[in-house]
mmCIF file of all heavy atoms in Angstrom:
data_model
loop_
_atom_site.group_PDB
_atom_site.id
_atom_site.type_symbol
_atom_site.label_atom_id
_atom_site.label_comp_id
_atom_site.label_asym_id
_atom_site.label_seq_id
_atom_site.Cartn_x
_atom_site.Cartn_y
_atom_site.Cartn_z
ATOM 1 N N ASN J 5 0.754 -1.141 0.028
ATOM 2 C CA ASN J 5 -0.053 -0.070 0.053
ATOM 3 C C ASN J 5 0.906 1.260 -0.082
ATOM 4 O O ASN J 5 0.334 2.320 0.027
ATOM 5 C CB ASN J 5 -0.881 0.006 1.294
ATOM 6 C CG ASN J 5 -1.997 -1.157 1.239
ATOM 7 O OD1 ASN J 5 -2.581 -1.396 0.165
ATOM 8 N ND2 ASN J 5 -2.189 -1.720 2.307
ATOM 9 N N ALA J 6 2.209 1.102 -0.029
ATOM 10 C CA ALA J 6 3.055 2.264 0.000
ATOM 11 C C ALA J 6 3.891 2.161 -1.260
ATOM 12 O O ALA J 6 5.090 1.806 -1.239
ATOM 13 C CB ALA J 6 3.925 2.352 1.265
ATOM 14 N N VAL J 7 3.357 2.301 -2.513
ATOM 15 C CA VAL J 7 4.036 2.106 -3.679
ATOM 16 C C VAL J 7 4.327 3.398 -4.366
ATOM 17 O O VAL J 7 3.617 4.375 -4.497
ATOM 18 C CB VAL J 7 3.026 1.350 -4.643
ATOM 19 C CG1 VAL J 7 3.730 1.085 -6.013
ATOM 20 C CG2 VAL J 7 2.506 0.081 -4.128
ATOM 21 N N THR J 8 5.606 3.469 -4.915
ATOM 22 C CA THR J 8 6.176 4.571 -5.741
ATOM 23 C C THR J 8 6.571 4.122 -7.041
ATOM 24 O O THR J 8 7.387 3.112 -7.047
ATOM 25 C CB THR J 8 7.225 5.270 -5.102
ATOM 26 O OG1 THR J 8 6.929 5.758 -3.784
ATOM 27 C CG2 THR J 8 7.718 6.492 -5.864
ATOM 28 N N VAL J 9 6.010 4.523 -8.151
ATOM 29 C CA VAL J 9 6.424 4.187 -9.459
ATOM 30 C C VAL J 9 7.752 4.759 -9.810
ATOM 31 O O VAL J 9 7.994 5.945 -9.824
ATOM 32 C CB VAL J 9 5.277 4.606 -10.403
ATOM 33 C CG1 VAL J 9 5.848 4.222 -11.868
ATOM 34 C CG2 VAL J 9 4.035 3.864 -10.217
ATOM 35 N N VAL J 10 8.719 3.998 -10.085
ATOM 36 C CA VAL J 10 10.014 4.396 -10.508
ATOM 37 C C VAL J 10 10.075 4.496 -12.051
ATOM 38 O O VAL J 10 10.654 5.558 -12.511
ATOM 39 C CB VAL J 10 11.116 3.125 -10.166
ATOM 40 C CG1 VAL J 10 12.403 3.612 -10.708
ATOM 41 C CG2 VAL J 10 11.097 3.128 -8.602
ATOM 42 N N ASP J 11 9.473 3.639 -12.781
ATOM 43 C CA ASP J 11 9.520 3.772 -14.282
ATOM 44 C C ASP J 11 8.343 2.913 -14.749
ATOM 45 O O ASP J 11 8.208 1.799 -14.527
ATOM 46 C CB ASP J 11 10.753 3.235 -14.835
ATOM 47 C CG ASP J 11 11.194 3.570 -16.268
ATOM 48 O OD1 ASP J 11 10.165 3.767 -17.145
ATOM 49 O OD2 ASP J 11 12.368 4.008 -16.502
ATOM 50 N N SER J 12 7.552 3.580 -15.556
ATOM 51 C CA SER J 12 6.389 2.846 -16.174
ATOM 52 C C SER J 12 6.750 1.939 -17.394
ATOM 53 O O SER J 12 6.068 1.023 -17.695
ATOM 54 C CB SER J 12 5.397 3.873 -16.760
ATOM 55 O OG SER J 12 5.981 4.660 -17.763
ATOM 56 N N ASP J 13 8.031 2.089 -17.699
ATOM 57 C CA ASP J 13 8.579 1.251 -18.744
ATOM 58 C C ASP J 13 9.850 0.558 -18.288
ATOM 59 O O ASP J 13 11.016 1.093 -18.397
ATOM 60 C CB ASP J 13 8.929 1.934 -19.951
ATOM 61 C CG ASP J 13 9.412 1.051 -21.240
ATOM 62 O OD1 ASP J 13 9.679 -0.171 -20.982
ATOM 63 O OD2 ASP J 13 9.499 1.701 -22.260
ATOM 64 N N PRO J 14 9.659 -0.773 -17.457
ATOM 65 C CA PRO J 14 10.799 -1.354 -16.840
ATOM 66 C C PRO J 14 11.777 -1.958 -18.002
ATOM 67 O O PRO J 14 13.052 -2.061 -17.654
ATOM 68 C CB PRO J 14 10.233 -2.490 -16.132
ATOM 69 C CG PRO J 14 8.840 -2.707 -16.757
ATOM 70 C CD PRO J 14 8.494 -1.419 -17.159
ATOM 71 N N ILE J 15 11.372 -2.116 -19.161
ATOM 72 C CA ILE J 15 12.308 -2.613 -20.186
ATOM 73 C C ILE J 15 13.293 -1.485 -20.577
ATOM 74 O O ILE J 15 14.538 -1.697 -20.772
ATOM 75 C CB ILE J 15 11.539 -3.089 -21.340
ATOM 76 C CG1 ILE J 15 10.725 -4.394 -21.037
ATOM 77 C CG2 ILE J 15 12.522 -3.494 -22.576
ATOM 78 C CD1 ILE J 15 9.306 -4.534 -21.664
ATOM 79 N N ALA J 16 12.835 -0.192 -20.734
ATOM 80 C CA ALA J 16 13.611 0.813 -20.926
ATOM 81 C C ALA J 16 14.578 1.141 -19.788
ATOM 82 O O ALA J 16 15.651 1.507 -20.063
ATOM 83 C CB ALA J 16 12.677 2.162 -21.247
ATOM 84 N N GLN J 17 14.097 0.891 -18.506
ATOM 85 C CA GLN J 17 14.912 0.981 -17.439
ATOM 86 C C GLN J 17 16.165 0.019 -17.526
ATOM 87 O O GLN J 17 17.255 0.428 -17.138
ATOM 88 C CB GLN J 17 14.072 0.884 -16.136
ATOM 89 C CG GLN J 17 14.886 1.058 -14.885
ATOM 90 C CD GLN J 17 14.063 0.703 -13.597
ATOM 91 O OE1 GLN J 17 12.957 0.245 -13.719
ATOM 92 N NE2 GLN J 17 14.655 0.940 -12.441
ATOM 93 N N ALA J 18 15.788 -1.125 -17.850
ATOM 94 C CA ALA J 18 16.895 -2.226 -17.989
ATOM 95 C C ALA J 18 17.863 -1.829 -19.096
ATOM 96 O O ALA J 18 19.064 -2.001 -18.936
ATOM 97 C CB ALA J 18 16.186 -3.570 -18.315
ATOM 98 N N LYS J 19 17.334 -1.289 -20.175
ATOM 99 C CA LYS J 19 18.208 -0.768 -21.172
ATOM 100 C C LYS J 19 19.278 0.245 -20.685
ATOM 101 O O LYS J 19 20.470 0.240 -21.101
ATOM 102 C CB LYS J 19 17.475 -0.253 -22.418
ATOM 103 C CG LYS J 19 16.743 -1.367 -23.235
ATOM 104 C CD LYS J 19 15.989 -0.775 -24.405
ATOM 105 C CE LYS J 19 15.333 -1.744 -25.147
ATOM 106 N NZ LYS J 19 14.506 -1.171 -26.366
ATOM 107 N N LYS J 20 18.782 1.199 -19.982
ATOM 108 C CA LYS J 20 19.583 2.226 -19.334
ATOM 109 C C LYS J 20 20.598 1.591 -18.432
ATOM 110 O O LYS J 20 21.863 2.064 -18.455
ATOM 111 C CB LYS J 20 18.706 3.153 -18.494
ATOM 112 C CG LYS J 20 17.846 4.004 -19.288
ATOM 113 C CD LYS J 20 16.948 4.949 -18.356
ATOM 114 C CE LYS J 20 15.719 5.568 -19.117
ATOM 115 N NZ LYS J 20 14.867 6.095 -18.173
ATOM 116 N N ILE J 21 20.324 0.601 -17.629
ATOM 117 C CA ILE J 21 21.346 -0.050 -16.725
ATOM 118 C C ILE J 21 22.282 -0.703 -17.550
ATOM 119 O O ILE J 21 23.545 -0.674 -17.218
ATOM 120 C CB ILE J 21 20.480 -0.983 -15.774
ATOM 121 C CG1 ILE J 21 19.585 -0.194 -14.900
ATOM 122 C CG2 ILE J 21 21.503 -1.884 -14.977
ATOM 123 C CD1 ILE J 21 18.591 -1.085 -14.131
ATOM 124 N N ASP J 22 21.877 -1.477 -18.624
ATOM 125 C CA ASP J 22 22.777 -1.992 -19.479
ATOM 126 C C ASP J 22 23.677 -1.094 -20.193
ATOM 127 O O ASP J 22 24.985 -1.320 -20.253
ATOM 128 C CB ASP J 22 22.081 -2.896 -20.598
ATOM 129 C CG ASP J 22 22.826 -4.009 -21.386
ATOM 130 O OD1 ASP J 22 23.320 -4.748 -20.647
ATOM 131 O OD2 ASP J 22 22.818 -3.886 -22.567
ATOM 132 N N LYS J 23 23.151 -0.021 -20.701
ATOM 133 C CA LYS J 23 24.102 0.995 -21.397
ATOM 134 C C LYS J 23 24.990 1.686 -20.419
ATOM 135 O O LYS J 23 26.172 2.047 -20.853
ATOM 136 C CB LYS J 23 23.042 2.127 -22.001
ATOM 137 C CG LYS J 23 23.786 3.017 -22.836
ATOM 138 C CD LYS J 23 22.759 3.961 -23.591
ATOM 139 C CE LYS J 23 23.600 5.088 -24.507
ATOM 140 N NZ LYS J 23 22.526 5.991 -25.151
ATOM 141 N N ALA J 24 24.627 1.773 -19.145
ATOM 142 C CA ALA J 24 25.563 2.414 -18.195
ATOM 143 C C ALA J 24 26.716 1.513 -17.970
ATOM 144 O O ALA J 24 27.711 2.052 -17.338
ATOM 145 C CB ALA J 24 24.798 2.660 -16.958
ATOM 146 N N GLY J 25 26.766 0.248 -18.291
ATOM 147 C CA GLY J 25 27.905 -0.525 -18.097
ATOM 148 C C GLY J 25 27.782 -1.436 -16.892
ATOM 149 O O GLY J 25 28.722 -2.146 -16.486
ATOM 150 N N LEU J 26 26.576 -1.549 -16.376
ATOM 151 C CA LEU J 26 26.356 -2.501 -15.169
ATOM 152 C C LEU J 26 26.248 -3.972 -15.698
ATOM 153 O O LEU J 26 25.696 -4.125 -16.687
ATOM 154 C CB LEU J 26 25.225 -2.053 -14.380
ATOM 155 C CG LEU J 26 25.251 -0.997 -13.323
ATOM 156 C CD1 LEU J 26 26.208 -1.479 -12.124
ATOM 157 C CD2 LEU J 26 25.787 0.335 -13.807
ATOM 158 N N HIS J 27 26.795 -4.812 -15.003
ATOM 159 C CA HIS J 27 26.864 -6.247 -15.418
ATOM 160 C C HIS J 27 25.869 -7.229 -14.819
ATOM 161 O O HIS J 27 25.986 -8.394 -15.105
ATOM 162 C CB HIS J 27 28.318 -6.699 -15.362
ATOM 163 C CG HIS J 27 29.412 -5.788 -15.915
ATOM 164 N ND1 HIS J 27 29.438 -5.500 -17.342
ATOM 165 C CD2 HIS J 27 30.462 -5.165 -15.285
ATOM 166 C CE1 HIS J 27 30.346 -4.767 -17.556
ATOM 167 N NE2 HIS J 27 31.022 -4.461 -16.410
ATOM 168 N N ALA J 28 25.071 -6.763 -13.926
ATOM 169 C CA ALA J 28 24.140 -7.541 -13.273
ATOM 170 C C ALA J 28 22.899 -6.852 -13.023
ATOM 171 O O ALA J 28 22.794 -5.593 -12.775
ATOM 172 C CB ALA J 28 24.740 -8.039 -11.975
ATOM 173 N N LEU J 29 21.733 -7.588 -12.766
ATOM 174 C CA LEU J 29 20.480 -6.961 -12.637
ATOM 175 C C LEU J 29 19.659 -7.944 -11.652
ATOM 176 O O LEU J 29 19.508 -9.246 -11.968
ATOM 177 C CB LEU J 29 19.758 -6.796 -13.982
ATOM 178 C CG LEU J 29 18.387 -5.931 -13.910
ATOM 179 C CD1 LEU J 29 18.483 -4.604 -13.218
ATOM 180 C CD2 LEU J 29 17.927 -5.792 -15.377
ATOM 181 N N HIS J 30 18.857 -7.361 -10.728
ATOM 182 C CA HIS J 30 18.053 -8.030 -9.781
ATOM 183 C C HIS J 30 16.612 -7.714 -10.103
ATOM 184 O O HIS J 30 16.220 -6.469 -9.970
ATOM 185 C CB HIS J 30 18.495 -7.671 -8.263
ATOM 186 C CG HIS J 30 17.615 -8.213 -7.299
ATOM 187 N ND1 HIS J 30 17.824 -9.363 -6.783
ATOM 188 C CD2 HIS J 30 16.592 -7.670 -6.660
ATOM 189 C CE1 HIS J 30 16.779 -9.619 -5.758
ATOM 190 N NE2 HIS J 30 16.107 -8.481 -5.749
ATOM 191 N N VAL J 31 15.815 -8.704 -10.377
ATOM 192 C CA VAL J 31 14.352 -8.451 -10.746
ATOM 193 C C VAL J 31 13.525 -9.144 -9.784
ATOM 194 O O VAL J 31 13.628 -10.369 -9.651
ATOM 195 C CB VAL J 31 14.137 -8.741 -12.210
ATOM 196 C CG1 VAL J 31 12.612 -8.570 -12.493
ATOM 197 C CG2 VAL J 31 14.898 -7.919 -13.285
ATOM 198 N N VAL J 32 12.443 -8.550 -9.288
ATOM 199 C CA VAL J 32 11.474 -9.109 -8.440
ATOM 200 C C VAL J 32 10.070 -9.026 -9.055
ATOM 201 O O VAL J 32 9.704 -7.801 -9.370
ATOM 202 C CB VAL J 32 11.510 -8.592 -6.998
ATOM 203 C CG1 VAL J 32 10.478 -9.238 -6.116
ATOM 204 C CG2 VAL J 32 12.973 -8.965 -6.422
ATOM 205 N N ASP J 33 9.374 -10.172 -9.128
ATOM 206 C CA ASP J 33 7.997 -10.045 -9.459
ATOM 207 C C ASP J 33 7.094 -9.886 -8.189
ATOM 208 O O ASP J 33 6.871 -10.783 -7.568
ATOM 209 C CB ASP J 33 7.607 -11.369 -10.208
ATOM 210 C CG ASP J 33 6.086 -11.326 -10.700
ATOM 211 O OD1 ASP J 33 5.357 -10.467 -10.319
ATOM 212 O OD2 ASP J 33 5.873 -12.315 -11.521
ATOM 213 N N LEU J 34 6.744 -8.712 -7.912
ATOM 214 C CA LEU J 34 6.046 -8.420 -6.627
ATOM 215 C C LEU J 34 4.513 -8.983 -6.772
ATOM 216 O O LEU J 34 4.090 -9.420 -5.651
ATOM 217 C CB LEU J 34 5.863 -6.958 -6.360
ATOM 218 C CG LEU J 34 7.301 -6.206 -5.899
ATOM 219 C CD1 LEU J 34 7.069 -4.704 -5.782
ATOM 220 C CD2 LEU J 34 7.839 -6.777 -4.684
ATOM 221 N N ASP J 35 3.941 -9.049 -7.884
ATOM 222 C CA ASP J 35 2.577 -9.758 -7.959
ATOM 223 C C ASP J 35 2.810 -11.147 -7.819
ATOM 224 O O ASP J 35 2.005 -11.791 -7.117
ATOM 225 C CB ASP J 35 2.142 -9.469 -9.564
ATOM 226 C CG ASP J 35 1.870 -7.908 -9.777
ATOM 227 O OD1 ASP J 35 0.936 -7.380 -9.219
ATOM 228 O OD2 ASP J 35 2.551 -7.509 -10.652
ATOM 229 N N GLY J 36 3.886 -11.671 -8.261
ATOM 230 C CA GLY J 36 4.046 -13.246 -8.093
ATOM 231 C C GLY J 36 4.439 -13.468 -6.655
ATOM 232 O O GLY J 36 4.004 -14.578 -6.132
ATOM 233 N N ALA J 37 5.090 -12.542 -5.969
ATOM 234 C CA ALA J 37 5.344 -12.806 -4.563
ATOM 235 C C ALA J 37 4.047 -13.074 -3.785
ATOM 236 O O ALA J 37 4.002 -13.816 -2.785
ATOM 237 C CB ALA J 37 6.125 -11.704 -3.992
ATOM 238 N N LYS J 38 2.943 -12.383 -4.199
ATOM 239 C CA LYS J 38 1.742 -12.552 -3.511
ATOM 240 C C LYS J 38 0.864 -13.781 -4.060
ATOM 241 O O LYS J 38 0.211 -14.420 -3.258
ATOM 242 C CB LYS J 38 0.753 -11.240 -3.660
ATOM 243 C CG LYS J 38 1.398 -10.079 -2.687
ATOM 244 C CD LYS J 38 0.139 -9.049 -2.426
ATOM 245 C CE LYS J 38 -0.277 -8.403 -3.559
ATOM 246 N NZ LYS J 38 -1.282 -7.391 -3.268
ATOM 247 N N SER J 39 0.972 -13.948 -5.317
ATOM 248 C CA SER J 39 0.013 -14.864 -5.937
ATOM 249 C C SER J 39 0.685 -16.219 -6.158
ATOM 250 O O SER J 39 -0.042 -17.269 -6.350
ATOM 251 C CB SER J 39 -0.496 -14.390 -7.374
ATOM 252 O OG SER J 39 0.619 -14.381 -8.257
ATOM 253 N N GLY J 40 1.957 -16.272 -6.176
ATOM 254 C CA GLY J 40 2.698 -17.596 -6.486
ATOM 255 C C GLY J 40 2.700 -17.928 -7.973
ATOM 256 O O GLY J 40 3.051 -18.977 -8.336
ATOM 257 N N LEU J 41 2.388 -16.935 -8.794
ATOM 258 C CA LEU J 41 2.223 -17.125 -10.329
ATOM 259 C C LEU J 41 3.347 -16.168 -10.853
ATOM 260 O O LEU J 41 3.627 -15.113 -10.373
ATOM 261 C CB LEU J 41 0.843 -16.882 -10.761
ATOM 262 C CG LEU J 41 -0.356 -17.602 -10.293
ATOM 263 C CD1 LEU J 41 -1.574 -17.023 -10.748
ATOM 264 C CD2 LEU J 41 -0.150 -19.122 -10.582
ATOM 265 N N ALA J 42 3.753 -16.617 -12.026
ATOM 266 C CA ALA J 42 4.842 -15.731 -12.712
ATOM 267 C C ALA J 42 3.985 -14.549 -13.497
ATOM 268 O O ALA J 42 3.956 -14.592 -14.726
ATOM 269 C CB ALA J 42 5.534 -16.549 -13.749
ATOM 270 N N ALA J 43 3.433 -13.737 -12.679
ATOM 271 C CA ALA J 43 2.594 -12.683 -13.278
ATOM 272 C C ALA J 43 3.211 -11.790 -14.172
ATOM 273 O O ALA J 43 2.571 -11.187 -15.122
ATOM 274 C CB ALA J 43 1.926 -11.927 -11.916
ATOM 275 N N ASN J 44 4.374 -11.394 -14.054
ATOM 276 C CA ASN J 44 5.183 -10.516 -14.891
ATOM 277 C C ASN J 44 6.183 -11.223 -15.841
ATOM 278 O O ASN J 44 7.236 -10.611 -16.230
ATOM 279 C CB ASN J 44 5.934 -9.435 -14.042
ATOM 280 C CG ASN J 44 4.925 -8.508 -13.399
ATOM 281 O OD1 ASN J 44 4.367 -7.659 -14.198
ATOM 282 N ND2 ASN J 44 4.548 -8.588 -12.177
ATOM 283 N N PHE J 45 5.862 -12.481 -16.168
ATOM 284 C CA PHE J 45 6.831 -13.278 -16.941
ATOM 285 C C PHE J 45 7.152 -12.554 -18.344
ATOM 286 O O PHE J 45 8.341 -12.519 -18.768
ATOM 287 C CB PHE J 45 6.342 -14.713 -17.222
ATOM 288 C CG PHE J 45 7.283 -15.527 -17.906
ATOM 289 C CD1 PHE J 45 8.444 -15.983 -17.271
ATOM 290 C CD2 PHE J 45 7.112 -15.765 -19.316
ATOM 291 C CE1 PHE J 45 9.289 -16.769 -18.002
ATOM 292 C CE2 PHE J 45 7.990 -16.526 -20.020
ATOM 293 C CZ PHE J 45 9.147 -17.080 -19.389
ATOM 294 N N LYS J 46 6.198 -12.004 -18.956
ATOM 295 C CA LYS J 46 6.473 -11.398 -20.336
ATOM 296 C C LYS J 46 7.386 -10.238 -20.268
ATOM 297 O O LYS J 46 8.307 -10.008 -21.049
ATOM 298 C CB LYS J 46 5.034 -11.087 -20.953
ATOM 299 C CG LYS J 46 4.307 -12.244 -21.449
ATOM 300 C CD LYS J 46 3.036 -11.683 -22.078
ATOM 301 C CE LYS J 46 2.109 -12.992 -22.584
ATOM 302 N NZ LYS J 46 0.964 -12.559 -23.405
ATOM 303 N N THR J 47 7.173 -9.498 -19.107
ATOM 304 C CA THR J 47 8.108 -8.273 -18.930
ATOM 305 C C THR J 47 9.428 -8.754 -18.589
ATOM 306 O O THR J 47 10.438 -8.245 -19.201
ATOM 307 C CB THR J 47 7.494 -7.409 -17.805
ATOM 308 O OG1 THR J 47 6.177 -7.027 -18.082
ATOM 309 C CG2 THR J 47 8.456 -6.247 -17.575
ATOM 310 N N ILE J 48 9.562 -9.793 -17.776
ATOM 311 C CA ILE J 48 10.733 -10.251 -17.409
ATOM 312 C C ILE J 48 11.624 -10.869 -18.659
ATOM 313 O O ILE J 48 12.770 -10.748 -18.798
ATOM 314 C CB ILE J 48 10.818 -11.387 -16.279
ATOM 315 C CG1 ILE J 48 10.299 -10.687 -15.065
ATOM 316 C CG2 ILE J 48 12.058 -12.081 -16.039
ATOM 317 C CD1 ILE J 48 9.883 -11.641 -13.887
ATOM 318 N N LEU J 49 10.793 -11.560 -19.422
ATOM 319 C CA LEU J 49 11.413 -12.205 -20.732
ATOM 320 C C LEU J 49 11.926 -11.004 -21.599
ATOM 321 O O LEU J 49 13.036 -11.101 -22.139
ATOM 322 C CB LEU J 49 10.324 -12.955 -21.428
ATOM 323 C CG LEU J 49 10.828 -13.697 -22.688
ATOM 324 C CD1 LEU J 49 11.882 -14.583 -22.260
ATOM 325 C CD2 LEU J 49 9.610 -14.395 -23.434
#
């Protein structure tokens, strides 16, 4: 209930991280953490 949107386009965000030269990324499916389903699988892919 205390959510702040960082980027409405997480794929663009990942591209920025990649372009900056970072070599690793940590992604969490918060919807999945509650439901037990891969709710954001397409985005993660």
Side-chain angles (χ1 to χ4, degrees):
N5 295 316
V7 180
T8 301
V9 175
V10 174
D11 198 318
S12 60
D13 186 348
I15 295 145
Q17 184 184 3
K19 288 180 179 179
K20 290 175 192 172
I21 294 167
D22 195 54
K23 188 176 180 180
L26 274 297
H27 306 300
L29 185 58
H30 172 86
V31 175
V32 176
D33 183 346
L34 292 173
D35 296 293
K38 285 205 295 185
S39 69
L41 304 172
N44 288 284
F45 181 76
K46 287 184 179 179
T47 301
I48 292 168
L49 186 59

